[in-house]
Amino acid sequence: MLFNEESYKFMFEALKLAEIAAEEDEVPIGAVVVKNGKIIGKGYNQVEKLKDATAHAEIIALTSASNNLQNKTLEDCDLYVTLEPCLMCIGAISLSKINNLYFATFEPKFGACGSIYNVPDENKLNHKINVFSGIYENESKIILTNYFKNKRNE
């Protein structure tokens, strides 16, 4: 086991949210924000539903957590997301001061944490985010692959 049991538990919760997104005909990405071993924010893609290009799972989860804590910063919080964040999302994650970012699988077309860009490792931002990948990687890939396969067959 590469990660602790708690990390798998929280990524599994993010995967469940990704499945909800798929059921709602959204790109299946889910995210949860965790503080002190408790989920304080949840989100899944709602770009189509809200007609908002910024309604990514990460942004919704960060907003939910900030509302929960009544604070714009999420220090001592971790974010679990089923797909590597894009540039917009890694910017929001950094501004929120998330401590640890865990993502399931890489996003070769838009990823900003190792695929196209590696913003957290450039050390140009005023906040350092620890980044970990690979928790439930195959499960996330399967959900995404099935979603896009179904979209092509429509």
Side-chain angles (χ1 to χ4, degrees), residues 26-29 83 107 109 141-154:
E26 297 279 354
V27 175
I29 302 168
L83 189 64
E107 172 33 294
K109 294 181 181 176
K141 284 181 181 178
I142 289 168
I143 292 170
L144 287 158
T145 300
N146 289 342
Y147 172 80
F148 286 111
K149 187 184 298 181
N150 290 337
K151 292 301 279 180
R152 284 191 296 276
N153 292 333
E154 285 182 358

Side-chain angles (χ1 to χ4, degrees), residues 56-132:
H56 289 197
E58 301 96 321
I59 302 296
I60 293 170
L62 293 171
T63 300
S64 173
S66 290
N67 287 337
N68 187 332
L69 295 179
Q70 291 296 292
N71 197 331
K72 67 180 180 181
T73 60
L74 300 171
E75 294 169 311
D76 301 320
C77 293
D78 300 331
L79 176 65
Y80 293 80
V81 61
T82 58
L83 189 64
E84 176 185 7
C86 68
L87 280 169
M88 173 185 70
C89 290
I90 197 62
I93 292 164
S94 179
L95 289 170
S96 296
K97 303 210 181 300
I98 286 288
N99 189 34
N100 296 304
L101 166 64
Y102 299 87
F103 66 89
T105 191
F106 285 92
E107 172 33 294
K109 294 181 181 176
F110 292 100
C113 297
S115 289
I116 296 176
Y117 303 100
N118 198 342
V119 174
D121 279 353
E122 291 177 5
N123 295 319
K124 294 180 180 176
L125 303 177
N126 67 351
H127 176 68
K128 176 69 176 157
I129 305 163
N130 302 307
V131 180
F132 308 93

